[in-house]
């Protein structure tokens, strides 16, 4: 659930919206709506060409960006951003976290590893009983293209899905509540197959190819984006999940959570993380 800035405009280049299947997640989202961090989004969809067409469950988005959905969870904790964890290491007094810049924090009583499965396997390294089950998880890349146009050129829908073998999703990001309504800010997701085939390609080449494909499938007039940039979510989508809500070792006091434990949605990540947190609290009390 990421929001990034391109020039003056913001783009949700990862998750597009969330739905609520469980009462816990619904309660959380309703709380966010109440404090202005989330709102309902009813884009005109290609399926029925009308407000909310194609939505089986209501769609909710973060406000002013998807990243706002996790803001309240981050408010009372200390977060180190833009620092990759390299290793987790247990000493007598507890766990220490080593970052790639060779600094460390700790000791901690317990660790929750909440990164994509292939990265979690690397971090868990020697803890075989935790790392082993992760081998059955399959994650697949997804290219996201962000495009800015000063004029409105898209035909009359706000979202399109499965447009071709290359394009999985197109959304007018600025039709989400709380975004600037000037011009067009478009987010495009490539299909898993195409993303896999091109995952090592130059992002600028990918951006051009995706833009040409969109122009073709939507029969756009010959316009040039003011800005566009492609981003690869290398372990973005879950092909095959773990099939367990989370894993926790009371002996080692290490747990693992993520969307890939249960499925492929933000709500799965929420449920997995919530259950792991409860297991950690129970084991420490
Ligand atoms: C293109 C795309 C579209 C999607 N659309 C939707 C949608 O419309 N609706 C929906 O519900 N879901 C959607 N999803 C899925 C949704 O984004 C995920 O389910 C959710 O983000 C998973 O949350 P998570 O906390 O498990 O993992 P992530 O969101 O992947 O968070 C893991 C975090 O760990 C960080 N990290 C990784 N390695 C390290 C390290 N070594 N050290 C420190 N930090 C690290 C990453 O930077 C990241 O911030 C989409 C995903 C993608 C990629």
């Amino acid at each position: 659930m990421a929001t990034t800035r391109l020039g003056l405009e913001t783009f949700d280049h990862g998750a597009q919206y969330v739905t609520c299947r469980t009462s816990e997640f619904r309660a959380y989202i309703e709380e966010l709506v109440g404090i202005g961090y989330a709102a309902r989004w009813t884009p005109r969809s290609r399926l029925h060409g009308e407000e909310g067409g194609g939505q089986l469950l209501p769609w909710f988005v973060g406000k002013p960006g998807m990243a706002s959905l996790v803001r309240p969870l981050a408010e009372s904790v200390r977060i180190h951003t833009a620092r990759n964890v390299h290793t987790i290491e247990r000493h007598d007094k507890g766990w220490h976290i080593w970052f790639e810049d060779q600094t460390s924090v700790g000791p901690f009583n317990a660790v929750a590893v909440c990164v994509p499965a292939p990265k979690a396997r690397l971090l868990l390294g020697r803890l075989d009983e935790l790392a082993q089950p992760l081998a059955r998880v399959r994650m697949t890349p997804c290219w996201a293209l962000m495009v800015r146009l000063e004029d409105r050129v898209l035909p009359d829908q706000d979202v399109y899905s499965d447009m071709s073998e290359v394009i999985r999703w197109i959304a007018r990001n600025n039709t989400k509540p709380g975004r600037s309504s000037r011009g067009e800010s478009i987010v495009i997701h490539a299909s898993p197959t195409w993303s896999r085939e091109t995952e090592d390609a130059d992002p600028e080449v990918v951006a051009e190819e995706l833009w040409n494909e969109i122009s073709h499938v939507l029969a756009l007039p010959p316009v040039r984006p003011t800005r566009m940039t492609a981003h690869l979510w290398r372990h973005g989508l879950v092909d095959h999940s773990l099939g367990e809500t989370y894993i926790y070792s009371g002996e080692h006091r290490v747990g693992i959570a993520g969307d890939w434990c249960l499925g492929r949605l933000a709500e799965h990540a929420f449920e997995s993380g919530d259950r792991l947190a409860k297991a950690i609290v129970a084991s420490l009390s």
Side-chain angles (χ1 to χ4, degrees):
M1 281 172 289
T3 308
T4 192
R5 192 172 276 281
L6 199 61
L8 294 174
E9 310 301 327
T10 58
F11 293 79
D12 302 319
H13 57 318
Q16 297 296 291
Y17 60 87
V18 295
T19 51
C20 306
R21 289 145 214 256
T22 62
S23 52
E24 286 93 341
F25 195 56
R26 192 171 313 116
Y28 177 67
I29 294 296
E30 277 168 8
E31 201 181 312
L32 293 185
V33 171
I35 55 175
Y37 284 176
R40 188 145 175 216
W41 182 37
T42 49
R44 292 165 303 167
S45 87
R46 188 178 167 78
L47 285 180
H48 302 115
E50 56 185 313
E51 290 281 306
Q55 293 187 9
L56 296 175
L57 289 167
W59 291 5
F60 291 94
V61 295
K63 220 172 85 182
M66 283 302 279
S68 311
L69 292 181
V70 292
R71 229 157 94 181
L73 302 178
E75 270 163 5
S76 57
V77 289
R78 185 161 168 213
I79 296 183
H80 299 259
T81 57
R83 294 175 82 189
N84 266 323
V85 176
H86 183 269
T87 319
I88 58 171
E89 213 173 45
R90 194 168 185 182
H91 297 291
D92 293 345
K93 287 190 177 149
W95 283 100
H96 292 259
I97 309 290
W98 285 89
F99 295 108
E100 274 177 358
D101 61 10
Q102 304 199 341
T103 58
S104 71
V105 287
F108 298 107
N109 291 329
V111 177
V113 177
C114 305
V115 299
K119 292 190 169 188
R121 275 183 82 188
L122 292 178
L123 285 180
L124 293 165
R126 274 166 276 163
L127 296 170
D128 230 17
E129 68 192 83
L130 288 157
Q132 194 100 59
L134 275 52
R136 62 177 187 263
V137 178
R138 295 271 169 272
M139 304 193 77
T140 190
C142 178
W143 277 108
L145 177 68
M146 292 154 266
V147 176
R148 176 66 194 164
L149 295 160
E150 296 315 315
D151 298 312
R152 306 198 86 186
V153 295
L154 253 56
D156 267 352
Q157 284 83 34
D158 299 326
V159 298
Y160 302 81
S161 59
D162 297 316
M163 296 303 289
S164 70
E165 285 179 8
V166 176
I167 309 282
R168 163 61 71 87
W169 170 263
I170 304 172
R172 268 197 170 109
N173 198 83
N174 55 337
T175 61
K176 293 179 177 179
R179 277 73 167 175
S180 146
S181 58
R182 282 185 319 109
E184 305 262 34
S185 297
I186 310 167
V187 172
I188 295 104
H189 288 153
S191 69
T193 308
W194 193 84
S195 297
R196 253 193 309 270
E197 284 166 3
T198 56
E199 72 177 312
D200 295 320
D202 179 345
E204 284 187 20
V205 174
V206 167
E208 287 296 336
E209 286 200 22
L210 287 175
W211 178 244
N212 288 341
E213 179 72 9
I214 290 147
S215 304
H216 173 68
V217 293
L218 294 181
L220 299 183
V223 283
R224 191 69 207 153
T226 338
R227 290 169 188 267
M228 67 174 174
T229 188
H231 173 85
L232 180 72
W233 295 106
R234 196 168 287 281
H235 305 295
L237 304 174
V238 184
D239 239 2
H240 192 274
S241 63
L242 182 69
E244 292 171 49
T245 312
Y246 64 90
I247 302 180
Y248 183 60
S249 160
E251 182 197 342
H252 299 295
R253 293 192 169 171
V254 178
I256 318 164
D259 61 344
W260 51 268
C261 288
L262 278 175
R264 57 185 308 160
L265 297 173
E267 181 169 4
H268 294 131
F270 178 88
E271 186 175 345
S272 175
D274 181 58
R275 297 293 147 78
L276 172 61
K278 285 175 179 148
I280 293 177
V281 170
S283 82
L284 297 180
S285 49

